[in-house]
């Protein structure tokens, strides 16, 4: 069963790469390289170390931003979910953050925080945090009433009700929020590098496009997608490690 | 012959000590009166049913006794101690089982003990015993979604029994299980009442179920919520579980209750 799932995933990835190769060979656009061209560009970038230098630069705002978003996002989300007062106080901020046209706001951020790391971290956070907060608070609010009553009637303290019932009950949706938030954070990190100062992977993309080296440009994009998929898989592992019951499905009745 | 008596006369005839006493309880939600000046006594070691049409406040009353809801006025005392919240003297069995889906049967059953600070090997040993007692031996490491509805409620029952509370509060515990399982549960419940020296307070909307399992049935009526009568079946319990449903007293009581409730059911 496990094996079959893996084979299917592999097949799906292969089908995608094959379609890419065909699309590049047709070609659908002069600026769209084939899969194999992109891969050889990727090999080359890996071999001469350019890719690693780029990621050393890109991962910094990305990791810092995602870490802040995850920790602050979950804490604020719990808080908002548990208290109506904080719901009214904080929810609007995150709804506005989520709806804001970020690309248009980046010049403002640059004016306020300069072109350095701070601005880029903020961009990652604006992308990642709202969905984490909103998912967490929504899940907490939707904890089944009878489970909370069960905890209280069996003498669980307020803290135990939160840690032993509300958080585990909310964890599948919290993790769904983390997954969405982290993918958005990856987009934010690249967006920051394209819009603020071209560094890291964003630099490879911008530079390669400007000299019409499309295989390198797509190789950079491909690498960031692969990294984000690997990261999300790692998150799945963390989830099953922390909350063993989650993979077993849910009893709804 | 049914044994319907009025409330006062009935309580005077009781020799058993009172385990739970509800005195002049009112509960308002805004302008809505859910319970109004309700008083009721629950004798020790007996099973008392709260029976009535929907909206009569039976679950509200049970949750007030559990300490999950606060009454607007009036007091509840359990073993002469006034209830101010949930306590070690009461355990609750939920209508929808309220099992933690992420935890194994063993973890679910030992949850109450864990919250009381019982150390791990000890609480798992106790939980193991009660899992065996409710007939779920071998399912300790199963998860709730792997069990049938009836088995899930057995887990809920084991969890309530494990904390060894004097009073068991059951909120329509068999309403979410199928008819055949329910009959088995009712028979098991009779045995439980007999073998454990515990006081059971049992909310149900089924007349037959109430008459079948109860030592005392409190009929609650809505608008305003009140205890309309208390019925103590006398004879058929001793005749054995198989004879009860054919006993004439049993049938009479079921009929009488339906006659008095009929006009309240929409």
């Amino acid at each position: 069963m496990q094996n079959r799932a893996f084979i299917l995933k592999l097949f799906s990835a292969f089908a995608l790469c094959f379609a890419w190769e065909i699309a590049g060979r047709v070609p659908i656009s002069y600026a769209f390289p084939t899969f194999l061209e992109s891969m050889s560009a990727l090999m080359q970038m890996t071999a001469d170390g350019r890719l690693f230098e780029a990621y050393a630069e890109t991962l910094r705002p990305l990791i810092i931003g995602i870490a802040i978003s995850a920790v602050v996002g979950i804490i604020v989300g719990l808080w908002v979910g548990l208290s109506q007062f904080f719901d009214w106080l904080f929810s609007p901020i995150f709804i506005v953050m989520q709806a804001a046209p970020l690309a248009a706001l980046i010049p403002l951020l640059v004016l306020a925080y300069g072109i350095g790391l701070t601005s880029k971290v903020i961009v990652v956070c604006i992308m990642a945090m709202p969905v984490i907060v909103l998912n967490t608070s929504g899940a907490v609010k939707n904890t089944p009433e009878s489970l909370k009553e069960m905890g209280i009637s069996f003498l669980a303290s307020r803290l135990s009700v939160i840690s032993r019932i509300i958080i585990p009950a909310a964890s599948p949706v919290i993790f769904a929020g983390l997954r969405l938030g982290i993918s958005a954070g990856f987009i934010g990190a690249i967006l920051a590098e394209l819009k603020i100062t071209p560094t890291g992977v964003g630099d490879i993309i911008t530079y390669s496009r400007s000299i019409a080296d499309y295989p390198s440009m797509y190789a950079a994009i491909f690498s960031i997608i692969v990294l984000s998929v690997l990261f999300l898989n790692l998150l799945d592992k963390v989830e099953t490690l922390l909350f063993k019951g989650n993979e077993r499905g849910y009893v709804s009745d | 012959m049914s044994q319907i008596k009025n409330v006062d006369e009935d309580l005077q005839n009781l020799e058993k000590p009172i385990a739970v006493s509800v005195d002049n309880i009112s509960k308002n939600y805004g302008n809505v009166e859910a319970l109004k000046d309700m008083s009721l006594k629950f004798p020790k070691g007996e099973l008392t049913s709260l029976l009535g049409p929907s909206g009569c406040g039976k679950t509200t009353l049970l949750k007030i006794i559990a300490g999950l809801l606060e009454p607007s006025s009036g007091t509840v005392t359990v073993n002469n101690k006034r209830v101010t919240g949930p306590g070690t003297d009461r355990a609750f069995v939920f209508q929808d089982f309220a099992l933690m889906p992420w935890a194994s049967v063993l973890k679910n059953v030992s949850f109450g003990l864990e919250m009381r600070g019982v150390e791990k090997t000890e609480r798992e040993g106790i939980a193991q015993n009660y899992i065996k007692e409710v007939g779920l031996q071998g399912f300790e490491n199963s998860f709730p979604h792997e069990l049938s509805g009836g088995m899930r409620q057995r887990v809920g029952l084991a969890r309530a029994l494990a904390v060894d509370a004097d009073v068991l509060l059951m909120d329509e515990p068999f309403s979410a299980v199928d008819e055949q399982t329910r009959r088995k549960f009712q028979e098991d419940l009779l045995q439980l009442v007999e073998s454990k020296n515990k006081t059971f307070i049992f909310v149900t909307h089924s007349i037959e179920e109430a008459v079948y399992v109860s030592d005392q049935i409190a009929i609650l009526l809505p608008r305003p919520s009140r205890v309309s009568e208390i019925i103590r079946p006398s004879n058929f319990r001793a005749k054995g579980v198989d004879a009860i449903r054919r006993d004439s007293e049993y049938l009479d009581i079921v009929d009488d209750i339906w006659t008095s409730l009929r006009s309240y059911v929409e």
Side-chain angles (χ1 to χ4, degrees):
Chain A
M1 198 57 201
Q2 192 95 51
N3 231 341
R4 189 161 155 256
F6 182 71
I7 290 170
L8 280 176
K9 274 183 195 169
L10 219 59
F11 180 75
S12 162
F14 178 77
L16 191 74
C17 295
F18 187 72
W20 181 357
E21 181 67 26
I22 297 292
R25 277 176 195 244
V26 168
I28 55 167
S29 155
Y30 163 67
F32 191 69
T34 65
F35 173 70
L36 292 175
E37 279 167 4
S38 303
M39 285 309 103
S40 80
L42 186 66
M43 295 289 209
Q44 205 173 0
M45 277 194 284
T46 318
D48 65 16
R50 251 199 313 154
L51 198 67
F52 298 110
E53 276 168 41
Y55 270 105
E57 195 65 40
T58 303
L59 282 179
R60 230 177 338 146
L62 180 63
I63 300 275
I64 298 174
I66 282 177
I68 294 176
S69 302
V71 173
V72 175
I74 289 177
I75 292 173
V76 171
L78 282 175
W79 213 1
V80 166
L82 291 170
S83 145
Q84 191 129 60
F85 177 76
F86 285 105
D87 188 11
W88 291 333
L89 192 65
F90 285 131
S91 282
I93 298 176
F94 290 102
I95 291 169
V96 168
M97 251 166 100
Q98 197 178 30
L102 185 57
L105 294 178
I106 285 179
L108 264 178
L109 285 173
V110 173
L111 277 179
Y113 299 102
I115 55 169
L117 186 63
T118 321
S119 289
K120 290 177 183 169
V121 169
I122 291 175
V123 170
V124 173
C125 287
I126 292 180
M127 287 294 287
M129 211 188 291
V131 66
I132 296 176
V133 172
L134 296 175
N135 265 42
T136 305
S137 66
V140 167
K141 278 184 231 164
N142 284 324
T143 311
E145 202 54 43
S146 75
L147 268 183
K148 284 190 272 181
E149 280 186 340
M150 187 280 291
I152 295 166
S153 75
F154 283 98
L155 302 176
S157 61
R158 177 82 182 133
L159 205 65
S160 297
V161 171
I162 294 172
S163 67
R164 298 297 309 280
I165 291 172
I166 292 177
I167 291 179
S171 68
V173 182
I174 293 179
F175 271 91
L178 277 178
R179 272 189 282 277
L180 291 173
I182 287 173
S183 344
F186 270 80
I187 296 171
I190 299 301
L191 188 68
E193 286 184 334
L194 294 176
K195 291 274 170 184
I196 299 175
T197 41
T199 53
V201 180
D203 182 37
I204 297 183
I205 296 173
T206 321
Y207 179 73
S208 310
R209 186 173 52 202
S210 69
I211 62 165
D213 178 8
Y214 295 113
S216 295
M217 176 186 160
Y218 278 89
I221 296 173
F222 178 79
S223 71
I224 195 91
I225 293 172
V226 168
L227 189 69
S228 125
V229 168
L230 288 178
F231 206 90
L232 291 179
N233 271 320
L234 183 73
L235 191 71
D236 278 348
K237 295 272 182 298
V238 172
E239 181 181 3
T240 38
L241 203 71
L242 285 177
F243 300 98
K244 280 215 176 102
N246 285 6
E247 60 185 316
R248 294 163 198 272
Y250 255 62
V251 208
S252 52
D253 50 340
Chain B
M1 276 295 289
S2 64
Q3 304 282 306
I4 301 175
K5 302 168 182 172
N6 80 36
V7 179
D8 293 335
E9 187 192 331
D10 198 70
L11 286 175
Q12 279 160 12
N13 291 346
L14 267 181
E15 280 153 27
K16 292 202 173 181
I18 300 299
V20 179
S21 170
V22 169
D23 300 296
N24 309 104
I25 288 285
S26 299
K27 176 70 185 174
N28 305 324
Y29 293 104
N31 290 327
V32 182
E33 279 187 322
L35 294 176
K36 191 181 178 187
D37 200 28
M38 192 174 277
S39 296
L40 204 51
K41 303 244 183 282
F42 299 89
K44 201 174 175 65
E46 291 195 350
L47 189 149
T48 303
S49 291
L50 303 175
L51 176 67
S54 53
C56 70
K58 47 194 194 294
T59 294
T60 306
L61 179 62
L62 194 73
K63 286 189 174 167
I64 288 174
I65 297 172
L68 290 170
L69 286 176
E70 220 167 304
S72 306
S73 66
T75 57
V76 176
T77 49
V78 175
N79 295 329
N80 299 319
K81 274 203 339 234
R82 191 175 163 174
V83 166
T84 53
T88 51
D89 46 10
R90 283 151 290 146
F92 207 102
V93 179
F94 292 84
Q95 179 177 11
D96 63 355
F97 322 138
L99 301 181
M100 299 178 287
W102 55 86
S104 65
V105 168
L106 187 65
K107 288 244 168 65
N108 267 295
V109 173
S110 53
F111 180 78
L113 293 164
E114 187 182 351
M115 292 300 118
R116 281 160 168 76
V118 180
E119 178 261 338
K120 188 174 161 121
T121 47
E122 190 187 346
R123 70 169 183 255
E124 293 195 340
I126 298 171
Q128 200 96 47
N129 279 339
Y130 283 100
I131 289 170
K132 197 170 154 192
E133 186 169 337
V134 298
L136 286 180
Q137 197 171 20
F139 290 96
E140 289 84 354
N141 296 317
S142 302
F143 283 79
H145 76 277
E146 298 165 329
L147 307 177
S148 69
M151 290 159 91
R152 288 181 205 166
Q153 191 56 294
R154 286 181 188 277
V155 177
L157 186 62
R159 175 177 60 195
L161 290 173
V163 295
D164 198 24
D166 290 338
V167 181
L168 275 183
L169 306 167
M170 310 178 98
D171 183 14
E172 301 192 24
F174 309 151
S175 66
V177 301
D178 64 89
E179 167 69 19
Q180 290 153 36
T181 312
R182 181 154 55 235
R183 283 196 175 218
K184 182 79 176 81
F185 265 122
Q186 290 164 357
E187 290 179 7
D188 290 353
L189 182 62
L190 282 181
Q191 240 172 18
L192 211 59
V193 176
E194 208 169 313
S195 62
K196 311 258 170 201
N197 189 27
K198 291 187 193 300
T199 307
F200 293 74
I201 303 178
F202 185 91
V203 166
T204 179
H205 55 242
S206 158
I207 300 172
E208 281 86 359
E209 178 170 274
V211 180
Y212 186 82
V213 299
S214 309
D215 297 300
Q216 169 176 289
I217 305 152
I219 312 277
L220 272 57
L221 290 179
R223 292 179 295 273
S225 286
R226 61 197 188 273
V227 180
S228 84
E229 60 185 331
I230 289 179
I231 299 168
R232 295 187 63 85
S234 62
N235 287 324
F236 55 74
R237 189 56 36 77
K239 294 176 186 168
V241 287
D242 298 322
I244 297 180
R245 286 200 171 83
R246 272 179 280 142
D247 190 89
S248 62
E249 186 193 356
Y250 167 85
L251 295 168
D252 284 347
I253 295 178
V254 170
D255 260 4
D256 286 344
I257 294 176
W258 174 235
T259 311
S260 60
L261 287 185
R262 182 185 274 137
S263 59
Y264 292 91
V265 180
E266 288 95 36

